[in-house]
Amino acid sequence: MTLAVGLLLASVVISAGAPRYLRPGSTPRVHPSLSLCAWLVAALAMVGSALAAAVILLSPDPAVPDGALGLATACWQAIGDSAFPWLLLTRLVTGVTVLALLLRLSGVLASDLIVGGRRRRDHATSLRAVARVTDGVWWVDSELPVAFSVGKYRRGVIVASTAVEHLGKDITEAVLAHERAHLRGHHHLALTLANAMARALPWIPLCRAAPAAVSVLCELAADAAAVKTCGRNAVSQALRQMAGGASPPGVVGFGAHMQARLSWLNRRRSSLFRNSGPISRGLAGTAALIPPMASAALAITSITVLCLSRTGG
């Protein structure tokens, strides 16, 4: 029970406080991949800690051998004997409520994955019929410079208009490097998760803020990868040349969040947080868990000390 309280408190701290304590990391001084990792780790930790707490609350214990059913039975029997079981009822209601919210999130996420996957397959199939495939890129005739990536279709594909080819070799390579970074980073899945959280649990601050934050950070992370490959000048020119380009719904297009991306390119970055390797991402994810872990540890310690003091008395 003590562990369940700690896990629930950790989930509440993440859900309510993460948008605030993660905000300082979403600056040009920090590599966007690190900020994106922190947001995703926080979201998964919120779900994971809530699920673990619900399992503990609804699992069998020595006093109630039949789990959730046993809790309900014990509550009903105690009510009939005029001894109201506050603790058992609280466990049952809290566990069922948390589990119901997680099931709602799972249902919305599964629906988005299935419907979105079907939509992307249909769209990719129609484009494949008219596209010219060169080096893994599907070129479609158009006078407007447009580029986007389609995830989870034959490991993802990049679609670009033939107008992009006429922007110059450096700009074209920067655009393609940006889209390849989206596919390598599985940004489509990150956006799907963020949007599902907002749809399923819009009253939770983290879920409500996730789509906008994850969307911008995915674009900035892809820009950072393109800068590393093609240079800052080429990416900056590509952004200006591609401004206003539209992309189909449900895909990650090159023309999103232009002002934020140009601002990020023009600002200086700290060398301390420039690296985005596995160790740096691991540290960023760990940093995102410090506030909830500290809150959970404090709750568990406080309850343990209280119980020991009463036992000793």
Side-chain angles (χ1 to χ4, degrees), residues 256-275:
H257 309 295
M258 282 292 182
Q259 293 301 321
R261 293 161 64 186
L262 286 170
S263 176
W264 178 84
L265 282 172
N266 294 328
R267 292 189 181 184
R268 299 179 61 182
R269 277 166 292 286
S270 170
S271 58
L272 181 62
F273 303 109
R274 189 177 297 170
N275 186 18

Side-chain angles (χ1 to χ4, degrees), residues 26-312:
S26 302
T27 66
R29 294 182 177 274
V30 180
H31 196 288
S33 293
L34 303 183
S35 300
L36 177 61
C37 180
W39 273 86
L40 295 177
V41 167
L44 294 175
M46 180 193 74
V47 174
S49 58
L51 177 60
V55 170
I56 293 173
L57 289 172
L58 298 178
S59 293
D61 63 25
V64 184
D66 296 323
L69 181 61
L71 284 173
T73 302
C75 287
W76 181 257
Q77 291 176 347
I79 291 173
D81 295 335
S82 299
F84 203 81
W86 289 110
L87 181 59
L88 293 179
L89 184 61
T90 301
R91 283 184 57 186
L92 179 63
V93 172
T94 304
V96 170
T97 301
V98 172
L99 191 59
L101 293 175
L102 293 177
L103 288 175
R104 173 179 170 81
L105 174 59
S106 300
V108 172
L109 178 59
S111 175
D112 286 355
L113 289 173
I114 294 172
V115 174
R118 186 183 302 116
R119 185 185 300 117
R120 285 191 294 270
R121 284 194 302 271
D122 294 342
H123 187 231
T125 300
S126 62
L127 287 174
R128 183 66 182 86
V130 298
R132 168 175 55 87
V133 181
T134 304
D135 296 330
V137 180
W138 294 9
W139 297 100
V140 180
D141 289 333
S142 176
E143 296 180 355
L144 295 176
V146 176
F148 56 89
S149 53
V150 182
K152 301 302 290 180
Y153 178 83
R154 296 181 181 178
R155 298 182 180 179
V157 297
I158 297 173
V159 180
S161 65
T162 51
V164 176
E165 292 182 294
H166 303 310
L167 298 177
K169 182 178 179 181
D170 291 343
I171 294 178
T172 301
E173 288 301 321
V175 171
L176 298 181
H178 173 97
E179 298 304 331
R180 291 190 183 103
H182 278 315
L183 296 178
R184 283 197 310 271
H186 303 288
H187 293 165
H188 305 79
L189 292 178
L191 288 170
T192 301
L193 173 62
N195 290 326
M197 291 172 60
R199 285 182 55 208
L201 308 171
W203 57 86
I204 295 179
L206 175 62
C207 299
R208 189 168 56 247
V214 171
S215 179
V216 173
L217 290 173
C218 283
E219 294 301 325
L220 294 180
D223 283 343
V227 166
K228 187 176 181 179
T229 303
C230 305
R232 187 177 307 278
N233 185 52
V235 176
S236 180
Q237 290 184 14
L239 286 173
R240 290 182 171 88
Q241 292 290 336
M242 298 284 289
S247 58
V251 300
V252 180
F254 189 86
H257 309 295
M258 282 292 182
Q259 293 301 321
R261 293 161 64 186
L262 286 170
S263 176
W264 178 84
L265 282 172
N266 294 328
R267 292 189 181 184
R268 299 179 61 182
R269 277 166 292 286
S270 170
S271 58
L272 181 62
F273 303 109
R274 189 177 297 170
N275 186 18
S276 62
I279 295 178
S280 298
R281 290 197 297 269
L283 292 175
T286 302
L289 298 179
I290 291 177
M293 290 175 62
S295 302
L298 179 61
I300 292 174
T301 302
S302 300
I303 294 174
T304 302
V305 170
L306 179 62
C307 291
L308 290 175
S309 63
R310 291 197 173 188
T311 303

